[in-house]
Amino acid sequence: MEQYEPDRLSPAQVAAMRRSFRNGRAALSRRSLLRASAGGALAVGGLGALSGCGIPAAGKTQGGVSAEDHSAKEKTINFSNWTEYMDVDDSGKHHPTLDAFTKRTGISVKYTEDINDNVEFFGKIKPQLAAGQDTGRDLIVVTDWLAARLIRFGWVQKLNASNLPHAYANLSAQFRSPDWDPGRAYSYPWQGISTVVAFNKKALDGIEVKSVSDLLDNPKLKGRVGFLSEMRDSMGMTLLDMGKDPEKFTDDDFDAAIARLQKAVDKGQIRRFTGNDYTSDLTKGDLAACVAWAGDIVQLKADSPDVDFIIPDSGYLTSTDNMLVPNKARHKTNAERLMDYYYEPGPAAQLAAYINYVCPVDGVKDELAKIDKSAADNPLILPDKAMAAKSHAFRSLTQKEETAYEEKFAKLTGA
């Protein structure tokens, strides 16, 4: 088990966090947009408020600690999730899939939208988890880098596979075995987040874009190309374009990718590194093409006929927001039943139709088509086998790597 220590952030990591809060994933609230990763820079803490002063190291507490499970007698679940990340009825007061779960099982769900970004939420639950105490939550949803950290600290419980038959059977192959949770022993994806190449057809005016190399090298696009200010997204897509696997790259590979982007910066090819604010530039045509988040593009395509996307032959980046059961949760079995419920095709389709993220559940196409045929046919929501095969995750980083990589990326972007 990895020791928890209240690490100090490097200036580059602080800058990464501020970028994300200002205009990256952490700044977003619309259900069509993407969740905070803070560039992954803050998996070990936040600013001073998150430094964990006086909190014991994880090594001083027992990992994977369960409380007595009260699920049989207490028919309830305390579920913490992101804002705008659940289906809502027309009144805005009810969640149809949660209501259906309660009607079927008799288990009531206290659903709380108290996660605005990973770093802030980590600060909320860290004191209790580090001290071996109940957080008051049975189920939480956090992005993969934070899920990895919680698992390594021993702060979440191993799941009981017998309570998760639908999840085990229906989890899409591309999400089955991340390096931070092989075989999904501790987590299941809530939704997937994809990074692709987007473009404005009118702004391209016949220029062909098929790869990240086209963005970096075509002189006709000089000054009209955008990359993301989130390190993993821009570096991962560049590594793929260079024939490197983001799940296995070396320090030398990372440095070569930095040099590749630096060359494009120096010659004025890249207009700027952006958070979510690229959406306006792309719609207006100020950006002809850019590295983009798929959740944005689903909405932009619906609003603008000129916006579209491609999946490079080299592949694309995928991350996930994940369901986990914290240590000392009182209702673990109930939480597992709810997790499994969202891997049934019906509920999964209802959720996907509302929030438009990548659905991690196989076998939902027919159910989704009954609700929204365009969503069922959208590969940004239901990747086909060919697209799923091109999916890659950015590998887990050590704290040393995290600090070094963020510093190099910050220098590149001028952050």
Side-chain angles (χ1 to χ4, degrees):
M1 182 196 309
E2 179 176 320
Q3 283 268 332
Y4 168 71
E5 298 293 349
D7 303 277
R8 294 291 182 264
L9 298 179
S10 70
Q13 289 175 309
V14 172
M17 183 194 75
R18 287 174 176 160
R19 287 197 308 272
S20 191
F21 281 174
R22 182 172 63 250
N23 59 12
R25 294 180 187 175
L28 310 178
S29 61
R30 289 174 52 220
R31 67 183 173 87
S32 61
L33 304 184
L34 300 179
R35 301 300 167 208
S37 74
L42 298 164
V44 295
L47 290 174
L50 300 187
S51 64
C53 296
I55 297 172
K60 297 180 181 179
T61 65
Q62 184 179 353
V65 180
S66 62
E68 180 183 353
D69 193 344
H70 297 267
S71 293
K73 294 181 179 180
E74 298 177 7
K75 296 294 186 179
T76 188
I77 303 168
N78 293 305
F79 182 7
S80 284
N81 204 349
W82 296 80
T83 57
E84 308 293 338
Y85 219 15
M86 180 67 74
D87 55 307
V88 180
D89 69 2
D90 291 339
S91 73
K93 297 179 180 179
H94 301 283
H95 303 292
T97 55
L98 288 178
D99 291 346
F101 173 80
T102 297
K103 184 176 181 180
R104 181 201 295 184
T105 64
I107 300 170
S108 64
V109 181
K110 181 181 178 182
Y111 183 72
T112 307
E113 295 181 329
D114 61 346
I115 306 179
N116 294 307
D117 68 80
N118 289 291
V119 179
E120 180 186 57
F121 185 66
F122 184 48
K124 289 181 182 179
I125 63 176
K126 181 171 63 175
Q128 294 98 325
L129 291 172
Q133 299 171 353
D134 181 11
T135 65
R137 299 168 175 87
D138 301 304
L139 190 62
I140 61 175
V141 176
V142 297
T143 305
D144 44 20
W145 64 264
L146 181 53
R149 181 65 55 170
L150 294 174
I151 291 169
R152 288 198 297 269
F153 286 166
W155 287 354
V156 292
Q157 298 185 53
K158 191 171 185 178
L159 301 172
N160 183 346
S162 65
N163 292 329
L164 296 157
H166 296 98
Y168 180 80
N170 296 335
L171 176 60
S172 297
Q174 72 183 101
F175 300 119
R176 280 195 174 269
S177 196
D179 66 356
W180 48 270
D181 187 16
R184 292 288 180 180
Y186 293 89
S187 68
Y188 270 92
W190 176 249
Q191 298 290 286
I193 304 167
S194 296
T195 304
V196 299
V197 172
F199 57 86
N200 183 308
K201 288 180 279 189
K202 186 176 180 180
L204 284 179
D205 192 25
I207 300 171
E208 190 173 59
V209 170
K210 290 187 175 181
S211 67
V212 171
S213 285
D214 289 334
L215 302 186
L216 296 174
D217 298 332
N218 190 331
K220 294 180 180 179
L221 295 178
K222 182 177 179 179
R224 299 192 294 145
V225 168
F227 274 71
L228 292 167
S229 58
E230 301 287 1
M231 182 267 288
R232 282 169 169 76
D233 296 296
S234 287
M235 294 303 297
M237 292 294 282
T238 304
L239 284 163
L240 282 168
D241 187 71
M242 296 173 68
K244 303 299 181 180
D245 187 346
E247 299 175 64
K248 299 177 182 177
F249 69 89
T250 65
D251 287 349
D252 287 343
D253 295 334
F254 187 90
D255 289 345
I258 285 283
R260 177 105 165 87
L261 287 174
Q262 186 67 60
K263 182 180 178 181
V265 169
D266 292 343
K267 68 182 181 181
Q269 185 77 6
I270 297 176
R271 182 185 183 93
R272 62 192 182 105
F273 290 82
T274 74
N276 168 256
D277 49 329
Y278 72 83
T279 55
S280 175
D281 288 347
L282 183 62
T283 302
K284 290 187 297 184
D286 291 341
L287 286 176
C290 61
V291 177
W293 291 314
D296 293 349
I297 305 309
V298 171
Q299 293 298 315
L300 293 181
K301 277 173 59 67
D303 297 336
S304 172
D306 292 326
V307 173
D308 211 335
F309 76 99
I310 58 105
I311 301 297
D313 288 341
S314 59
Y316 67 103
L317 261 289
T318 297
S319 57
T320 50
D321 286 332
N322 309 274
M323 297 179 281
L324 304 100
V325 178
N327 283 358
K328 296 289 188 175
R330 286 178 62 88
H331 311 108
K332 179 173 181 283
T333 298
N334 289 346
E336 290 168 338
R337 291 183 67 183
L338 184 63
M339 293 171 70
D340 195 61
Y341 168 76
Y342 279 106
Y343 274 80
E344 296 178 22
Q350 286 181 262
L351 186 65
Y354 188 83
I355 62 177
N356 295 161
Y357 282 72
V358 178
C359 179
V361 184
D362 278 342
V364 304
K365 189 177 181 68
D366 290 344
E367 292 293 328
L368 185 54
K370 296 175 186 177
I371 304 168
D372 184 342
K373 190 176 186 305
S374 64
D377 293 335
N378 191 335
L380 295 181
I381 298 174
L382 293 183
D384 57 25
K385 289 184 179 179
M387 181 172 171
K390 294 182 178 182
S391 171
H392 298 267
F394 199 96
R395 70 171 174 82
S396 299
L397 301 179
T398 66
Q399 174 60 16
K400 182 179 179 180
E401 288 175 326
E402 186 73 66
T403 300
Y405 293 171
E406 283 291 356
E407 287 177 349
K408 291 174 182 179
F409 189 71
K411 182 178 180 180
L412 167 74
T413 62

